[in-house]
Amino acid sequence: MPTVNSRKYIMNFVKRFALLSFFMSLALQGFSVPAKLVKNDYGATQLAVNGAPMLLIAGELMNSSASTKESMQERWQNLEALNLNTVLMSVTWQQIEPKENVYDFSVVESHIKEARARNLKIVFLWFGSWKNGVSGYAPDWVLRDTKRFARIKNAKGENRPALSPFNKNLLDADKKAYCALLSKIKQLDENFGTVIMVQIQNEIGLLDDSRDRSEIAESEFKKDVPAPLLKNLSENFSDISKEIAEQWQNNGKPLKGSWQTVFGNTSKNLADEIFMAWHFAKFVEEIAQAGKKVYPIPVFVNAWIVWPNQAPGNYPSGGPNARMLDIWKAAAPSVDIFAVDNYADSYKSKCLEYMRRGNPLFVPEAVALWKGDKTSAPAKAFYTFAQNSAICFSPFAIDHSAYKDNLPLKNAYALIKNLSPIILKMQGSKDLVGFMQDSDKGGESFDFKDVIAHVNYGYQFKGYGLIARISQDEFLVAGTGINVSFESKIPNLKGMSYGLIKEGKLENGKWKTLKYLGGDEAFAGIGGVRIPATYLPEDAKECDISATIIKIIPVESTSAKNSLIF
Ligand code: DGJ
């Protein structure tokens, strides 16, 4: 007869065995938890996929590329070759629901299978009621029935080429189609986790006017600002945008009143834009909420940015742009991220505009090919992930010929992928910095408390990279077109010597040195790191992107200053 203790022991064993077999059977089925947002030790928000955080080293396809499997056939290989781990691709309402309640998910199904076979993740872009401020992707049966699906109107009462968000019929129809899509994704993918996020609508907002002038919109505009919005803005007053806070204050900071009374101004139609933002955001909130009940993967919306000196209507009024971030946050708590389509000339400051109120940086579109920029993607990738703790960086039109066999991007993505365990661990820490050369900059410096890192550019191409302090006396330097030296701030140890300089990469999470750098390739061992570490400076090529660990040895200062000579 077993004793009480031995019975307990046996029961525990059986329980453990059952639990283990349960998890093993899930593993055999390819079980995966849906992707979700998590925080690392430094508070950076990251996307965990199948339980582990990942950087979305991504690219967004041109708008029509994902419309058929045939069109995708020639593209998959190149996406893989570019070392992407994630592809952002559209799913259009007009294609998946050509007739009301008749769905066709064949293309979606094919994309998921193809991506999975290549170990690529997918972020689907839901081109529903709006794309880029108009309604070019709504199905025929929606566009034709202007009674059931009213349009936004201009001041003359004419229809605009955009559906009105003040319309419950549209919300119901869009939401139903979106949920059908998510239910299909769940059915095809919940055991695999290939589809990791969804973008709801695309660059939503109203073009060519600051607000909808239809009868229903006009009557809404005359009503009081909804109390929950003012409550939310009031509670977050010290964190909301200065422009909104000041305008509200200038109007006497009323807690009740019409949109015009509360937010009205004489320039840039702030009240109109806030009004549209609230209604667009509420519309999206309902869709996001309903979608999460079906399949709870994180969702985001993307913004057409506010360009300098533009007024709402020049850009989509009421979109989730930086000016409207606070309104969207109040109205759409089920939207996880407010992403920026960052084509700005001042890329860095545009990133910062979106890194407020806990919003993590996510760049689904970048690099303006149409302005002739065919080279900035690798630099922006390093900068965005390392300096701004971004979840995603994704050049737009990744399947354009500009990126075919594009060695700099391919190599940059390979290196970021290789270093991602370090980047993910350190995002948000002051010991990780990212940088890229602005046109006229000769260099910049980064403060690591007791040590300053000096980054110098000056190659025949623009430099960029990252520096991570991986231990007290070791720095990982990665990128290209850079010379990096270190200065000690430690009292009595203001001189700097260097130990081993190791070029290499991570292998199974551990550093593997592929070459020790010294002499001609490393400023004689007294001047820091050069990347690329070529014999002659003119041998340096833009696609030579690499990683080096350098050991610093602070010592009593000597009278001779290190000189960066070869
Ligand atoms: C921004 C849009 O979001 C994209 O879909 C695309 O149309 C680009 N503009 C144009 O290059």
Side-chain angles (χ1 to χ4, degrees):
M1 197 65 182
T3 61
V4 176
N5 270 349
S6 66
R7 219 180 301 140
K8 252 195 200 159
Y9 177 82
I10 293 167
M11 284 312 290
N12 269 342
F13 179 79
V14 170
K15 266 192 217 154
R16 273 191 205 163
F17 183 75
L19 217 61
L20 192 73
S21 351
F22 173 70
F23 282 119
M24 272 175 64
S25 72
L26 290 181
L28 286 175
Q29 288 168 36
F31 175 84
S32 81
V33 279
K36 65 170 183 186
L37 294 176
V38 295
K39 294 225 186 252
N40 77 356
D41 290 347
Y42 299 99
T45 304
Q46 301 181 327
L47 185 74
V49 176
N50 294 339
M54 77 180 270
L55 300 174
L56 308 193
I57 303 165
E60 180 166 325
L61 297 175
M62 292 182 282
N63 292 157
S64 311
S65 308
S67 57
T68 63
K69 48 184 161 192
E70 288 77 10
S71 152
M72 279 308 292
Q73 228 155 41
E74 55 187 283
R75 294 168 211 273
W76 286 115
Q77 224 179 342
N78 199 42
L79 298 176
E80 232 183 331
L82 275 175
N83 289 315
L84 264 67
N85 62 15
T86 304
V87 53
L88 278 65
M89 61 203 310
S90 54
V91 179
T92 75
W93 188 8
Q94 62 181 186
Q95 260 192 276
I96 66 152
E97 198 182 3
K99 286 192 188 140
E100 190 166 8
N101 296 323
V102 178
Y103 295 103
D104 176 359
F105 289 112
S106 52
V107 179
V108 170
E109 193 163 346
S110 159
H111 293 343
I112 295 177
K113 272 196 198 140
E114 293 287 344
R116 189 180 297 148
R118 294 171 166 82
N119 211 11
L120 280 166
K121 301 292 178 194
I122 290 180
V123 171
F124 277 129
L125 315 172
W126 171 238
F127 287 7
S129 296
W130 300 280
K131 179 193 179 278
N132 297 37
V134 293
S135 297
Y137 282 98
D140 299 7
W141 54 270
V142 170
L143 293 178
R144 197 175 295 118
D145 194 344
T146 53
K147 293 254 159 0
R148 183 171 162 211
F149 302 108
R151 301 290 180 88
I152 287 178
K153 295 209 191 296
N154 65 17
K156 288 192 212 149
E158 294 161 344
N159 282 332
R160 289 194 170 279
L163 293 157
S164 172
F166 299 91
N167 183 326
K168 180 88 169 59
N169 295 333
L170 181 68
L171 174 58
D172 289 344
D174 190 322
K175 184 166 67 180
K176 194 164 165 207
Y178 176 78
C179 287
L181 169 66
L182 282 197
S183 157
K184 190 72 195 175
I185 294 172
K186 178 178 181 199
Q187 179 208 332
L188 296 170
D189 198 45
E190 73 173 333
N191 289 339
F192 299 92
T194 299
V195 181
I196 51 180
M197 287 182 85
V198 184
Q199 174 190 290
I200 303 181
Q201 315 295 342
N202 187 83
E203 294 191 348
I204 191 173
L206 163 62
L207 274 182
D208 292 333
D209 202 347
S210 52
R211 68 171 205 263
D212 184 353
R213 313 279 166 175
S214 62
E215 229 172 271
I216 169 162
E218 286 294 288
S219 84
E220 283 295 324
F221 188 66
K222 284 183 196 120
K223 287 187 186 159
D224 280 356
V225 175
L229 173 58
L230 291 179
K231 184 169 178 276
N232 185 293
L233 293 179
S234 211
E235 283 166 5
N236 295 290
F237 194 70
S238 54
D239 295 330
I240 65 173
S241 89
K242 262 197 165 173
E243 188 186 3
I244 294 178
E246 281 173 12
Q247 190 59 55
W248 189 14
Q249 196 101 56
N250 289 345
N251 295 345
K253 209 175 167 213
L255 288 172
K256 199 171 157 37
S258 72
W259 297 88
Q260 192 59 35
T261 321
V262 178
F263 300 116
N265 64 1
T266 44
S267 69
K268 303 234 170 127
N269 296 319
L270 187 66
D272 288 11
E273 186 169 17
I274 293 181
F275 166 71
M276 290 309 293
W278 175 260
H279 287 284
F280 276 125
K282 278 275 162 210
F283 190 104
V284 169
E285 169 63 15
E286 269 215 37
I287 294 179
Q289 245 183 50
K292 282 190 171 176
K293 282 189 193 134
V294 177
Y295 190 45
I297 48 178
V299 297
F300 66 99
V301 287
N302 64 327
W304 172 325
I305 57 173
V306 178
W307 292 84
N309 305 317
Q310 287 198 329
N314 299 136
Y315 60 85
S317 178
N321 56 62
R323 192 186 194 211
M324 291 296 115
L325 185 69
D326 303 300
I327 311 303
W328 274 80
K329 275 199 88 77
S334 302
V335 172
D336 299 280
I337 297 172
F338 301 93
V340 52
D341 291 351
N342 194 345
Y343 296 107
D345 299 328
S346 50
Y347 180 86
K348 293 178 182 173
S349 56
K350 197 49 82 180
C351 284
L352 296 180
E353 286 180 16
Y354 289 78
M355 294 166 64
R356 302 199 288 120
R357 306 235 8 230
N359 188 48
L361 186 62
F362 191 106
V363 184
E365 296 184 36
V367 185
L369 286 185
W370 74 86
K371 287 201 224 159
D373 176 4
K374 296 192 172 155
T375 56
S376 71
K380 285 175 179 162
F382 268 85
Y383 170 80
T384 310
F385 286 124
Q387 183 65 10
N388 292 329
S389 305
I391 294 175
C392 172
F393 175 75
S394 165
F396 182 76
I398 195 68
D399 51 331
H400 187 271
S401 58
Y403 293 114
K404 183 134 177 54
D405 304 321
N406 186 310
L407 257 190
L409 186 60
K410 184 180 164 143
N411 294 353
Y413 268 14
L415 186 57
I416 293 173
K417 215 187 249 182
N418 181 260
L419 299 177
S420 61
I422 296 180
I423 300 173
L424 283 161
K425 191 163 165 234
M426 296 183 68
Q427 274 190 330
S429 142
K430 292 206 164 58
D431 283 330
L432 174 69
V433 297
F435 42 85
M436 60 186 211
Q437 182 178 2
D438 288 330
S439 44
D440 49 351
K441 256 209 180 143
E444 50 196 311
S445 297
F446 298 95
D447 198 333
F448 289 89
K449 266 194 176 157
D450 53 330
V451 175
I452 300 176
H454 298 291
V455 177
N456 284 292
Y457 301 117
Y459 279 76
Q460 57 272 32
F461 49 87
K462 282 192 190 158
Y464 59 85
L466 65 82
I467 300 175
R469 188 175 201 166
I470 53 173
S471 72
Q472 179 59 24
D473 61 354
E474 281 181 311
F475 286 82
L476 171 80
V477 180
T480 193
I482 47 175
N483 299 328
V484 182
S485 59
F486 296 86
E487 180 188 333
S488 167
K489 290 203 288 179
I490 307 169
N492 306 323
L493 294 177
K494 292 247 168 107
M496 182 61 84
S497 292
Y498 298 100
L500 282 176
I501 305 178
K502 307 180 282 192
E503 188 180 274
K505 60 176 183 179
L506 292 180
E507 233 177 52
N508 301 323
K510 285 213 169 114
W511 182 257
K512 173 148 173 84
T513 300
L514 299 171
K515 198 195 256 179
Y516 291 94
L517 301 175
D520 297 336
E521 286 75 50
F523 301 117
I526 63 165
V529 178
R530 294 172 51 210
I531 303 184
T534 51
Y535 173 45
L536 301 175
E538 61 266 32
D539 292 339
K541 288 194 238 65
E542 216 168 336
C543 57
D544 293 338
I545 306 162
S546 59
T548 299
I549 291 178
I550 183 166
K551 182 171 241 168
I552 56 159
I553 307 174
V555 292
E556 299 83 3
S557 53
T558 52
S559 57
K561 218 177 167 242
N562 291 348
S563 52
L564 305 185
I565 43 147
F566 302 49

